[in-house]
Amino acid sequence: MLMNKLQRMKMLATGLLLLAGVVYVVATALEPGRPWLHYVAAAAEAAMIGAIADWFAVVALFHHPLNLRFIPHTAILPRNKARIAQGLSEFIQHNFLSSAAVVARIAAFRPAHTLCRWLLKPQNADTLARYVIRLVAYALAAVDDERVRRFLSHTITVQLRKADVASAIAQVLDVLTENQRHHALLDEALAGLDEILAREDTRRFIAEEIAKNAPLLKYFSDLLHLKLDQRAALKVVDVALNKISEIRRDRDHELRKRFDAFVLRFIQKLKADDATRDKVHRMRDEALENPALAAYIGALWEEFRAWLPLGMEQRLPQLITKLGEKLDEDPAIRQWIDEQILTALPALVEEHRAKFGRFIEDQILSWQEEKLVAELERHIGPDLQYIRINGTVVGALAGVLIAVVTQAAR
């Protein structure tokens, strides 16, 4: 099996220590006949000292050297696991997950511009559409299970039976009638009625109805060629149009006041009249119990479920691409999107960054000491072996220098 980098670096550092030891033994043995070997022996001796000292320092980070547990300040990393976890958590929180750092990074990313460029690529739109369609198809298939449908049907029906529909309608009408908003609906209805009555086919219809319901008038009209039914229809239409025009112009018209009074009474009945409320709730219960309504809704759901994936497959890629084109054409909306993201980010980061920090801290604390040591040693161990190598080399150089200075001083 091939050795990993940590093992190779350990063998190299240990090999240098052994080499220094061999050189020291040989130089010491041959020194009497060769005085210059004194400097070699001094260098080798100092190299061994430096190598052993640095070996002790490196090993003491992860283990007890030679398994001697009584030596203080050894196995530093595993013994301080909790402090390391907390320190690393705080460091990441304050330096990598700070609001300023995250906002600056996202601002440089230009989210709206990046999204726009991504959406404009047809392959990306197709990919996104496929994911959405798959998700929708899965959700539809899951909901189609009889157990799920029975559960949803029962839950929704129970909740609807408990719902205070009368009060809900009253609240909606309160909103619609606030500041006379409902008059806008009345005006639209009057405008529509005005348009319908002004049409020729409407007048013919009224004339026909008058003829059907007043046969004597129709008889004399045809007999004398007076067209009384048509004249009556025109008169009815003209009166109706004049009345509608009068109501539309006059904001204080009597019929508007009657309309306001009717709506107000109805809202009050929905809120306080037990008979009206009971009637509304009986209508609610009858609708929920009506099998025809249930069958109709079920049929609509089946048609919708069958159409949705196919409809999305046909239209969704084009809609996604169109969204990208609209974003590309409108720099103002891209700027607005970026502003909203950057405005919301600081609060979001402040709310959640402590959770990320605690997650990191909990993960480290959950590791066994052996795993923590193995992971740290695997990542930084090879670089730490250079300390041993440098200690050996620097020790050798320092040994030679000391030997030279000592000899010169004699």
Side-chain angles (χ1 to χ4, degrees):
M1 179 183 291
L2 295 176
M3 291 185 295
N4 58 36
K5 185 178 180 181
L6 176 60
Q7 291 173 328
R8 290 197 303 270
M9 294 304 298
K10 281 184 175 182
M11 288 191 64
L12 176 59
T14 304
L16 287 176
L17 172 59
L18 295 176
L19 177 62
V22 171
V23 170
Y24 176 76
V25 172
V26 173
T28 303
L30 300 177
E31 183 181 350
R34 299 174 178 82
W36 58 271
L37 287 177
H38 166 73
Y39 299 102
V40 176
E45 181 181 13
M48 288 189 295
I49 295 172
I52 293 172
D54 288 335
W55 166 83
F56 183 91
V58 170
V59 172
L61 286 173
F62 305 101
H63 309 282
H64 298 285
L66 301 177
N67 205 27
L68 300 175
R69 297 178 176 272
F70 62 85
I71 302 177
H73 304 295
T74 57
I76 294 172
L77 295 178
R79 289 173 61 182
N80 292 275
K81 183 174 68 171
R83 186 161 57 87
I84 293 171
Q86 182 181 1
L88 184 59
S89 168
E90 293 177 354
F91 176 79
I92 291 176
Q93 286 185 57
H94 293 98
N95 292 278
F96 292 95
L97 296 178
S98 67
S99 300
V102 174
V103 169
R105 181 62 178 171
I106 297 299
F109 181 67
R110 300 170 64 193
H113 175 80
T114 304
L115 175 64
C116 172
R117 299 267 71 80
W118 191 85
L119 291 177
L120 286 174
K121 296 180 180 178
Q123 64 270 26
N124 291 335
D126 292 338
T127 301
L128 181 59
R130 283 197 300 271
Y131 278 119
V132 173
I133 293 170
R134 285 169 56 188
L135 180 62
V136 170
Y138 174 81
L140 291 175
V143 172
D144 195 45
D145 188 286
E146 180 62 29
R147 295 164 297 181
V148 177
R149 284 192 295 182
R150 186 167 57 249
F151 169 77
L152 291 176
S153 175
H154 173 73
T155 303
I156 293 172
T157 301
V158 169
Q159 293 303 317
L160 287 177
R161 287 186 183 279
K162 295 178 180 178
D164 189 352
V165 178
S167 296
I169 295 174
Q171 290 175 3
V172 171
L173 290 177
D174 273 335
V175 174
L176 291 177
T177 56
E178 187 178 358
N179 298 324
Q180 294 192 331
R181 292 194 186 103
H182 59 300
H183 280 268
L185 298 176
L186 178 61
D187 290 336
E188 289 295 325
L190 291 173
L193 184 60
D194 195 353
E195 182 182 349
I196 291 173
L197 291 175
R199 287 160 48 181
E200 185 62 31
D201 56 344
T202 304
R203 297 184 178 186
R204 285 197 302 270
F205 173 78
I206 294 175
E208 291 172 0
E209 290 299 312
I210 291 174
K212 289 179 184 178
N213 291 279
L216 186 61
L217 177 65
K218 175 66 174 174
Y219 173 77
F220 283 109
S221 175
D222 293 342
L223 180 65
L224 301 175
H225 303 288
L226 297 177
K227 298 182 179 180
L228 295 177
D229 53 340
Q230 296 182 14
R231 292 181 181 180
L234 289 174
K235 187 64 176 177
V236 170
V237 171
D238 288 342
V239 170
L241 289 175
N242 289 335
K243 182 60 66 175
I244 290 171
S245 176
E246 180 184 333
I247 297 171
R248 292 178 66 185
R249 289 195 307 270
D250 187 359
R251 308 304 296 181
D252 295 322
H253 196 278
E254 181 63 25
L255 288 180
R256 286 185 181 271
K257 295 179 180 179
R258 292 183 185 179
F259 176 65
D260 287 341
F262 169 78
V263 173
L264 182 60
R265 284 197 305 272
F266 183 62
I267 293 174
Q268 292 302 323
K269 285 183 177 181
L270 288 173
K271 291 180 178 179
D273 184 61
D274 292 336
T276 303
R277 291 172 58 82
D278 289 342
K279 184 176 181 179
V280 170
H281 291 153
R282 281 198 304 272
M283 293 172 60
R284 174 202 64 192
D285 295 340
E286 289 172 2
L288 291 174
E289 294 170 359
N290 192 327
L293 178 62
Y296 177 71
I297 294 175
L300 286 179
W301 167 251
E302 290 298 328
E303 291 181 11
F304 174 74
R305 191 174 66 85
W307 168 85
L308 186 59
L310 181 61
M312 292 179 66
E313 185 176 353
Q314 292 173 345
R315 301 189 61 184
L316 192 57
Q318 291 83 356
L319 289 175
I320 293 173
T321 304
K322 193 68 176 178
L323 174 61
E325 292 173 355
K326 291 295 183 183
L327 288 175
D328 187 48
E329 295 169 0
D330 196 338
I333 195 64
R334 295 202 305 272
Q335 182 180 359
W336 178 84
I337 292 173
D338 288 343
E339 288 173 355
Q340 299 308 307
I341 293 174
L342 297 177
T343 301
L345 264 180
L348 192 63
V349 172
E350 290 299 325
E351 180 181 354
H352 294 288
R353 69 173 182 169
K355 297 178 183 177
F356 285 109
R358 283 196 298 272
F359 172 77
I360 295 170
E361 184 175 350
D362 292 341
Q363 284 296 108
I364 295 175
L365 290 175
S366 68
W367 291 350
Q368 298 293 329
E369 291 184 359
E370 293 80 4
K371 181 179 180 181
L372 174 64
V373 169
E375 286 296 314
L376 291 173
E377 198 169 14
R378 182 169 65 87
H379 285 89
I380 64 175
D383 294 317
L384 292 177
Q385 300 307 310
Y386 282 107
I387 295 176
R388 296 175 58 191
I389 296 171
N390 292 337
T392 306
V393 175
V394 171
L397 295 176
V400 171
L401 180 61
I402 291 172
V404 169
V405 172
T406 301
Q407 189 66 28
R410 288 178 178 175

